[in-house]
């Protein structure tokens, strides 16, 4: 008898993505009292919404087949030599940064550094970024990045509105020399807030008294270099604030905005080693004066001390102010672009000040040589002073020149029918300059002599704008210039942190699941990474196919009719969704509809977003079980029916429960003339089981960095596309490079396009059945944890059947009363067990919200449960007096190796401190610092530094 060989190519990916093995799955189901996943799902999903999801998708593909399919898609993109510029530039990502940071799961699977003790590595990298920005812009305070240059400009506009002393003004001046995509986003953001955008040539401004603020571009989008000193003084005399969008590479040679009086500097760090990626993700920056630091949007990394007095990094001040202040928040931005900011910071660390200036000088010199040669060829160059960009007056030959250029696989910037633009960058070389001369030369015309021009060309930066101040003098930018040193520095930082490559990150509402290697591989392919977002459409057919297919996949998963992939974060998806609702009402003459109902349990970004969209927030109550109080909702919907615009509701609820009345809730809103926005933050419990577009939702945003596997990257990148029903489709975000020109919510037409292949790969490999199974396992894992822990920590909310959705909330408030142990103590003690803490005190103060995801194995779930049970025993020991009330392992957590090696004065043992479970001996994580003092950090704010060693004398 011969052995039969299995020749099938069945998809193995589903089992690779999902953690529990078959026997583990059955054991967990038995614990919960179910005999199958179908039976569990039937019990969890309310009857009213069962059957609303039928994933019309083919079976999942194997990893090899999916990679081959997406390679074929990528090959349809054409990579021309691009000189378009307009805020996006070719760049070299240094190989050690590519391999040791961008492609390293220790960096890309990390979470937002809310727990500073286990985030010291990425916090140091972000502090380097802030120092880089502060140095180059000449302004003392910089944040840890924003989403892109255009949205940073919009944040600067509202920042100026809040702080300007010209309180009577509602007009904001934006230079016509700003990038067009920035002006588009400014218009989108301004209109709901009643801000008038006045676009004009700042050189022709005679009266500036009407403006509360202004935005200038430096260098100008067309390449010009203007001295803004006198203009800034005039704006200040009129009590207006001035923001300057500045190019970081140019600032290594130019007078920084802070030195000519700017109040804010914003821009993109893309050209510091971050691939073009068809528009993103890229890190924007925002810097300002020290006096304005508490009004600055976004994250801010600061230096504090731990309980031993040792310097330690942390997120400072209002890092989650949109959750705390809600509709009074200054911004709805919930995250940053951490991974990309870290790439940019390491690019500066690797090259150092001399290296950056050398890159800038070479780029500028090549541009000067190019300009001089073009003039010799009879071409009119409009700029006398410039850095790396030229505008050419080419008259009636313009269209033909574009055709000729594309025939030679060159892309020039399309300005208008009479002019075109050229931008050089760090990848430009002599051969490129000579190829451009050939393009513009007439038949038989002799080519300029490159060597002769190079020997004679002078700088085209005016002496009045030449930078006189030093840059990047801090030690961190002057040490790690060899690959060996940089590699070890990156490893040393990564070793300080906990990311998904080490441990489960059980964060409720944040969905930290597997980011499979096969999903990540296409991100760094040149066909996706090296395409300019404004390249002609015929060159991006691969991206068009990818986005078309991904939109169809997401429609199938959500039950909506159309999807926009433009929003580059969940917060921007929320915003785009409410703008679509607002525009829909206005199209019907319902301008009065401006009330947004939001349950008290909602994510803090919801009311902040509603405020940004020009809506008034009315909060509705929740009942004792955490569900929306339907009668209160009904009463308020009826009360405001003439003005009701929308309801924003999260489903499953923020409390981790499938609310049974969701259809009735949606019907109440529709009956009173409103639209239903269903926050898609918890979509990981629904894919394949129920679809928001089928049970009453009109629009939802999706967090692709949650449900659909794009990694968190230490707090960014993210993608927040929106799905809508057909009646809202005409109001999806537009863009100057799309059919609909108005309504852009970010700088690039498809937002963070280069990471969309991750989600495409995930969905293609899982298929409809795999996606459904992932949702079922997420629910199983969450209920297993809830069941194992409920006798130790009360589970605060559950459905009528005693089950939760994909996350559960543990109530620690009674323990605070009985033992003095806080939720913060438990979170820090989990670090000693090698775990990132669950979500703390959200949505209920004094609780932990746990979301295990489907990717975690039963062994990891049990390891976490064992840690929590051990912690409960320690709390019990405090309660009965066995452990001291103030000097115990929880109050002193986390424990460092340095503390263990020093004098030990605690009444509990060293072993209990650092090895509370025997399993920790083999794979111990040692936190680099003790518990960080948050109050000290805010009272003694330091937000730029060379390296932590320099603060040893603090």
């Amino acid at each position: 008898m011969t052995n039969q060989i299995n020749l099938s190519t069945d998809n193995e990916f589903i089992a690779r993505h999902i953690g529990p093995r078959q026997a583990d799955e059955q054991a967990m189901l038995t614990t919960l009292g179910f005999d199958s996943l179908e039976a569990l799902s039937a019990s969890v999903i309310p009857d009213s919404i069962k059957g609303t999801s039928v994933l019309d998708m083919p079976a999942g593909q194997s990893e090899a087949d999916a990679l081959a399919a997406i390679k074929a898609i990528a090959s349809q993109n054409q990579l021309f030599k691009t000189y378009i510029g307009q805020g996006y530039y070719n760049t070299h990502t240094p190989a050690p940064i590519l391999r040791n940071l961008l492609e390293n799961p220790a960096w890309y699977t990390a979470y937002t550094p809310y727990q500073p003790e286990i985030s010291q590595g990425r916090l140091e990298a972000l502090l380097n970024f802030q120092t880089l920005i502060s140095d180059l812009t000449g302004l003392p305070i910089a944040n840890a990045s924003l989403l892109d240059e255009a949205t940073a400009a919009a944040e600067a506009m509202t920042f100026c509105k809040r702080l300007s002393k010209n309180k009577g003004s509602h007009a904001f001046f934006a230079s016509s020399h700003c990038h067009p995509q920035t002006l588009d986003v400014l218009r989108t953001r301004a209109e709901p807030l009643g801000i008038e955008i006045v676009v004009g040539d700042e050189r022709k401004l005679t009266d500036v008294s009407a403006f509360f603020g202004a935005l200038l571009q430096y260098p100008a989008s067309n390449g010009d270099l203007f001295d803004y000193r006198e203009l800034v003084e005039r704006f200040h005399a009129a009590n207006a604030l001035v923001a300057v969008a500045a190019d970081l590479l140019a600032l290594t040679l130019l007078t920084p905005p802070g030195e000519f009086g700017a109040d804010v500097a914003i821009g993109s760090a893309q050209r510091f080693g971050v691939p073009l990626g068809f528009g993103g993700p890229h890190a924007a920056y925002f810097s300002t004066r020290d006096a304005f630091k508490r009004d600055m949007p976004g994250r801010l990394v600061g230096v504090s001390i731990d309980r031993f007095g040792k310097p330690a990094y942390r997120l400072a001040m209002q890092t989650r102010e949109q959750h705390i202040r809600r509709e009074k928040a200054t911004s709805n931005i919930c995250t940053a672009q951490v991974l990309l900011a870290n790439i940019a910071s390491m690019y500066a660390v690797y090259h150092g000040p001399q290296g950056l200036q050398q890159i800038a000088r070479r780029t500028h010199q090549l541009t000067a040589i190019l300009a001089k040669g073009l003039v010799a060829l009879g071409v009119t160059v409009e700029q006398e002073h410039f850095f790396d960009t030229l505008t050419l007056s080419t008259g009636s030959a313009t269209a033909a020149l574009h055709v000729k250029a594309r025939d030679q696989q060159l892309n020039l910037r399309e300005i208008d029918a009479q002019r075109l633009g050229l931008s050089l960058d760090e990848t430009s070389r002599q051969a490129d300059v000579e190829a451009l001369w050939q393009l513009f030369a007439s038949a038989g015309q002799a080519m300029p002599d490159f060597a002769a021009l190079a020997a004679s060309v002078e700088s085209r930066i005016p002496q009045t704008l030449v930078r006189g101040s030093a840059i990047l003098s801090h030690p961190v930018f002057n040490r790690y210039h060899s690959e060996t040193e940089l590699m070890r520095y990156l490893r040393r930082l990564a070793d300080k942190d906990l990311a998904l490559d080490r441990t489960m990150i059980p964060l409720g509402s944040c969905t930290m699941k597997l980011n499979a290697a096969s999903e990540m591989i296409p991100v760094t392919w040149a066909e996706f990474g090296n395409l300019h977002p404004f390249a002609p459409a015929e060159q991006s057919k691969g991206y068009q196919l990818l986005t078309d297919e991904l939109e169809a996949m997401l429609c199938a998963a959500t039950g909506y009719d159309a999807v926009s992939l433009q929003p580059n974060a969940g917060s921007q998806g929320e915003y785009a969704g409410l703008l679509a609702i607002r525009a829909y009402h206005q199209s019907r003459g319902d301008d009065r509809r401006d009330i947004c109902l939001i349950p008290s349990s909602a994510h803090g970004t919801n009311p902040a977003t509603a405020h940004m969209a020009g809506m008034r927030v009315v909060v509705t109550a929740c009942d004792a079980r955490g569900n929306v109080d339907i009668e209160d909702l009904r009463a308020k919907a009826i009360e405001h029916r003439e003005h009701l615009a929308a309801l924003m509701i999260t489903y499953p609820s923020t409390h981790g429960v499938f609310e049974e009345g969701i259809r009735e809730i949606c019907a109440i809103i529709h009956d009173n003339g409103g639209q239903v926005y269903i926050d898609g933050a918890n979509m990981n419990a629904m894919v394949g089981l129920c679809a928001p577009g089928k049970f009453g939702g009109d629009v939802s945003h999706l967090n692709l960095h949650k449900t659909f596997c794009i990694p968190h990257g230490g707090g960014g990148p993210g993608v927040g596309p929106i799905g809508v029903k057909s009646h809202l489709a005409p109001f999806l975000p537009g863009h100057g490079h799309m059919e609909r020109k108005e309504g852009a919510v970010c700088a690039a037409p498809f937002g963070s396009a280069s990471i969309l292949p991750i989600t495409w790969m995930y969905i293609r490999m899982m298929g409809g059945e795999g996606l459904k199974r992932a949702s079922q396992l997420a629910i199983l894992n969450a209920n297993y944890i809830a069941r194992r822990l409920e006798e130790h920590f009360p589970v605060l909310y559950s459905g009528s059947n005693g089950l939760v959705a994909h996350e559960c909330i543990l109530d620690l408030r009674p323990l605070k009363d009985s033992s003095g142990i806080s939720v913060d103590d438990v979170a820090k003690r989990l670090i000693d067990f090698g775990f990132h803490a669950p979500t703390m005190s959200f949505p209920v103060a004094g609780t932990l919200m746990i979301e295990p995801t489907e990717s975690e194995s039963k062994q990891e779930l049990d390891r976490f449960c064992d840690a929590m049970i051990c912690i409960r025993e320690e709390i019990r020991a405090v309660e009965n007096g066995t452990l001291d009330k103030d000097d115990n392992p929880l109050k002193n957590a986390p424990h460092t190796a340095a503390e263990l090696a020093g004098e030990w004065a605690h009444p509990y043992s060293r072993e209990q401190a650092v090895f509370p479970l025997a399993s920790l001996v083999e794979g111990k994580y040692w936190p680099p610092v003790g518990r960080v003092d948050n109050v000290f950090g805010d009272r003694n704010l330091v937000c730029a530094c060379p390296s932590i060693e320099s603060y040893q004398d603090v």
Side-chain angles (χ1 to χ4, degrees):
M1 181 177 180
T2 60
N3 291 328
Q4 293 294 314
I5 299 174
N6 184 1
L7 298 177
S8 71
T9 56
D10 290 342
N11 176 17
E12 290 187 345
F13 179 76
I14 297 171
R16 304 294 191 202
H17 175 80
I18 291 174
R21 304 297 88 189
Q22 193 66 40
D24 297 328
E25 178 185 320
Q26 289 304 315
M28 290 192 289
L29 285 167
T30 300
T31 299
L32 296 172
F34 292 93
D35 59 7
S36 69
L37 276 178
E38 294 300 328
L40 173 64
S41 302
S43 187
V44 171
I45 306 297
D47 290 339
S48 64
I49 61 173
K50 282 176 183 166
T52 58
S53 179
V54 180
L55 277 177
D56 185 17
M57 290 184 185
Q61 286 186 298
S62 70
E63 294 177 70
D65 288 345
L67 280 168
I70 201 167
K71 190 68 173 178
I73 290 174
S75 68
Q76 296 189 46
N77 289 328
Q78 301 177 52
L79 296 181
F80 287 14
K81 189 72 178 178
T82 293
Y83 301 98
I84 296 172
Q86 200 173 317
Y88 298 93
Y89 304 91
N90 300 296
T91 183
H92 293 303
T93 306
I97 295 176
L98 176 69
R99 170 158 289 195
N100 298 300
L101 199 164
L102 178 56
E103 297 179 342
N104 184 348
W107 286 91
Y108 67 70
T109 70
Y111 183 60
T112 308
Y114 294 139
Q115 295 288 339
E117 296 84 0
I118 56 173
S119 309
Q120 290 296 294
R122 56 190 180 276
L123 284 167
E124 180 171 333
L126 286 174
L127 203 71
N128 292 345
F129 177 80
Q130 292 177 182
T131 305
L132 163 71
I133 300 305
S134 180
D135 265 22
L136 292 187
T137 63
L139 289 161
I141 295 288
N143 71 15
S145 76
L146 292 175
L147 300 174
D148 64 22
E149 180 169 336
T151 53
E155 294 290 338
M157 174 182 68
T158 53
F159 177 89
C160 291
K161 184 74 174 88
R162 291 192 303 275
L163 294 173
S164 171
K165 294 178 182 178
N166 194 356
K167 297 301 182 184
S169 171
H170 297 283
F172 185 73
F173 178 81
S175 168
S176 56
H177 295 104
C178 291
H179 296 313
Q181 68 271 19
T182 298
L183 297 176
D184 288 345
V185 172
L186 281 179
R187 293 186 183 100
T188 301
R189 188 74 70 87
E191 193 271 335
L193 299 176
I195 295 173
E196 178 190 2
I197 300 293
V198 178
V199 178
D201 187 337
E202 63 274 22
R203 295 170 299 175
K204 299 177 182 178
L205 268 182
T206 55
D207 182 9
V208 299
S209 62
F211 304 109
F212 66 81
L215 177 68
L216 310 172
Q217 190 90 38
Y218 181 68
S221 185
N222 67 354
D224 276 310
L225 274 175
F226 301 129
D227 188 336
Y228 287 126
R229 288 179 177 88
E230 188 270 337
L231 179 62
V232 171
E233 289 176 1
R234 287 171 57 207
F235 274 113
H236 285 167
N239 289 320
L241 298 182
V242 177
V244 174
D247 181 282
L248 280 186
L249 189 64
L251 291 185
T252 66
L253 304 181
L254 299 180
T255 300
E259 292 183 14
F260 60 72
D263 302 289
V264 180
I266 61 100
S268 173
Q270 177 268 318
R271 69 190 308 178
F272 275 34
V274 180
L276 284 167
F278 203 46
H282 304 142
Y285 71 83
F286 189 112
S287 61
T288 189
R289 301 182 180 280
D290 184 74
F292 301 151
K293 59 179 176 284
R294 295 186 184 275
D295 287 278
M296 185 171 60
R299 307 247 172 263
L300 184 67
V301 176
V303 181
S304 185
I305 56 173
D306 71 2
R307 67 185 182 91
F308 307 108
K310 177 182 177 182
Y313 304 122
R314 58 181 282 275
L315 290 178
M317 298 193 306
Q318 53 184 30
T319 53
R320 300 195 75 184
E321 64 104 31
Q322 77 284 353
H323 283 295
I324 298 165
R325 300 188 66 208
R326 302 173 77 79
E327 71 272 15
K328 294 181 177 65
T330 59
S331 170
N332 75 339
I333 289 178
C334 191
T335 187
Q337 292 284 27
V338 173
L339 187 68
L340 299 314
N342 285 341
I343 292 171
S345 82
M346 291 305 163
Y347 179 92
V349 166
Y350 192 46
H351 287 295
Q354 289 78 25
L356 292 179
Q357 289 180 323
Q358 181 180 354
I359 292 169
R361 289 191 183 101
R362 183 175 65 237
T363 302
H364 175 64
Q365 185 179 22
L366 281 173
T367 310
I369 294 168
L370 171 64
K372 198 166 185 178
L374 288 172
V375 170
L377 291 170
V379 179
T380 301
V381 177
E382 294 187 357
Q383 283 69 39
E384 178 183 357
H385 300 299
F386 53 80
F387 169 61
D388 63 3
T389 297
L390 307 173
T391 298
L392 310 181
S393 180
T394 45
S396 60
T398 303
L401 282 168
H402 281 298
V403 172
K404 183 179 178 183
R406 288 168 196 169
D407 286 343
Q408 298 177 26
Q409 296 199 329
L410 305 175
N411 286 327
L412 313 177
R413 179 176 173 183
E414 299 181 29
I415 297 178
D416 55 38
Q418 301 293 313
R419 300 180 304 159
L420 53 80
L422 291 169
S423 292
L424 301 190
D425 52 60
E426 72 163 315
T427 70
S428 302
R429 296 293 182 265
Q430 176 178 338
D432 300 317
V433 171
E434 293 172 338
L436 289 169
W437 286 337
Q438 287 281 357
L439 176 70
F440 287 94
S442 303
Q445 211 172 2
M447 287 299 98
D449 184 329
F450 185 94
L453 290 181
S456 63
V457 73
E458 296 179 351
S459 172
R460 302 298 290 273
I461 297 173
Q463 192 58 41
T464 57
L465 293 181
V466 172
R467 184 173 193 128
S469 53
I471 64 168
L472 307 182
S473 58
H474 308 295
V476 73
F477 297 107
N478 293 277
R479 173 179 172 183
Y480 304 106
H481 297 165
S482 75
E483 181 168 340
T484 303
E485 282 288 293
L486 182 70
M487 175 180 65
R488 290 173 182 163
Y489 181 51
L490 289 169
R491 172 61 184 268
R492 189 160 67 250
L493 294 185
D495 282 348
K496 294 180 178 183
D497 291 5
L498 279 180
L500 268 179
D501 65 327
R502 286 193 185 205
T503 181
M504 169 187 180
I505 301 181
L507 287 150
S509 189
C510 289
T511 316
M512 297 291 294
K513 63 167 70 177
L514 172 71
N515 314 122
S518 56
E519 296 160 5
M520 301 299 296
I521 286 172
V523 170
T524 51
W525 288 348
E527 296 93 335
F528 288 131
N530 293 353
L531 198 66
H532 195 286
F534 305 144
E538 63 270 16
Q539 295 171 28
S540 59
K541 290 181 178 178
Y543 262 117
Q544 190 61 59
L545 181 58
L546 176 85
T547 53
D548 287 349
E549 291 188 1
L550 184 53
E551 288 171 7
M553 292 172 176
L554 295 176
C555 283
T558 59
Y560 287 113
D561 301 314
V563 164
S564 169
L565 298 169
Q566 187 182 120
N568 54 5
S571 59
Q572 304 309 291
E574 287 184 19
Y575 181 62
L578 288 195
L579 288 184
I581 290 174
R582 185 174 186 272
Y584 168 73
H585 287 312
Q586 290 178 337
S587 75
R588 294 158 53 87
D590 278 348
D591 293 23
R592 68 189 183 282
R593 294 194 175 274
D594 66 346
I595 293 289
C596 186
L597 300 182
I598 301 179
S600 60
S601 63
H603 292 99
T605 52
N606 289 175
T609 299
H611 172 72
M612 287 172 55
M615 296 183 183
R616 293 179 290 156
V617 173
V618 173
V619 177
T620 68
C622 289
D623 63 24
R625 291 174 50 201
N627 297 324
V628 171
D629 185 326
I630 294 180
E631 292 314 310
D632 184 63
L633 177 80
R634 190 191 314 276
K636 286 174 177 169
I638 293 171
E639 177 188 355
H640 298 289
R641 66 175 305 155
E642 297 302 315
H643 297 276
L644 181 61
L647 165 74
M648 296 185 83
I649 186 171
T650 300
Y651 201 77
S653 76
T654 310
H655 292 146
V657 177
F658 280 97
E659 298 191 37
E660 296 178 5
I662 186 63
R663 273 195 184 272
E664 183 181 359
I665 289 168
C666 295
I668 290 169
I669 301 303
H670 290 147
D671 290 346
N672 288 281
Q675 295 283 287
V676 177
Y677 172 95
I678 297 180
D679 190 312
N682 292 339
M683 193 70 198
N684 205 47
M686 293 197 289
V687 181
L689 300 175
C690 53
K694 298 295 187 183
F695 59 70
D698 297 294
V699 55
S700 292
H701 91 269
L702 302 171
N703 297 93
L704 297 194
H705 53 287
K706 294 183 180 182
T707 302
F708 294 100
C709 290
I710 289 176
H712 280 64
V719 180
I722 55 171
V724 297
K725 299 299 285 184
S726 58
H727 64 283
L728 294 181
F731 310 106
L732 288 171
H735 194 278
H737 287 260
M738 298 170 66
E739 184 176 346
R740 182 184 176 223
K741 304 298 182 186
E742 299 81 26
V745 296
C746 75
F750 292 94
S752 293
S754 69
I755 53 177
L756 296 177
I758 301 169
T759 296
W760 187 98
M761 284 288 292
Y762 171 65
I763 296 176
R764 178 61 72 94
M765 292 187 292
M766 293 293 279
E769 281 303 309
L771 292 171
K772 176 183 176 182
R773 181 165 168 74
S775 299
Q776 291 176 314
L777 264 292
I779 291 170
L780 173 62
N781 283 358
N783 278 281
Y784 177 70
I785 283 182
R787 185 60 53 84
R788 274 209 66 190
L789 295 181
E790 63 185 358
E791 65 180 277
H792 307 281
F793 303 91
V795 176
L796 189 56
Y797 300 114
S798 63
S800 58
N801 49 20
L803 297 170
V804 300
H806 64 311
E807 58 192 6
C808 61
I809 298 178
L810 303 184
D811 191 357
L812 274 65
R813 292 172 297 182
L815 301 179
K816 172 74 171 179
D817 296 334
S818 64
S819 67
I821 298 300
S822 68
V823 66
D824 198 56
D825 296 328
V826 174
K828 303 310 180 187
R829 182 60 171 150
L830 275 168
I831 297 172
D832 288 327
F833 289 82
F835 281 107
H836 192 298
T839 301
M840 290 170 47
S841 295
F842 176 80
V844 180
T847 66
L848 291 175
M849 183 161 60
I850 301 168
E851 182 180 351
T853 85
E854 71 276 9
S855 294
E856 298 300 340
S857 66
K858 181 175 181 295
Q859 289 74 18
E860 188 71 354
L861 301 183
D862 284 333
R863 191 171 77 87
F864 175 76
C865 290
D866 290 345
M868 289 296 294
I869 292 168
C870 183
I871 287 171
R872 180 63 183 93
E873 291 302 314
E874 291 181 340
I875 296 172
R876 191 168 286 115
V878 175
E879 290 171 331
N880 63 30
T882 306
L883 283 174
D884 185 84
K885 182 176 180 292
D886 299 310
D887 191 0
N888 60 64
L890 293 120
K891 288 292 184 184
N892 294 327
H895 297 82
T896 65
E899 180 183 13
L900 189 70
E903 182 179 346
W904 191 260
H906 302 302
Y908 54 94
S909 70
R910 286 179 169 90
E911 183 178 18
Q912 181 176 0
V914 300
F915 297 127
L917 292 175
S919 59
L920 292 168
V921 175
E922 183 179 349
K924 174 68 179 174
Y925 166 76
W926 294 99
V929 296
R931 193 176 306 194
V932 176
D933 187 332
N934 292 326
V935 175
F936 180 93
D938 282 349
R939 287 178 177 169
N940 304 274
L941 191 63
V942 177
C943 296
C945 66
S947 68
I948 203 153
E949 289 78 10
S950 298
Y951 288 91
Q952 294 303 318
D953 295 330
V954 171

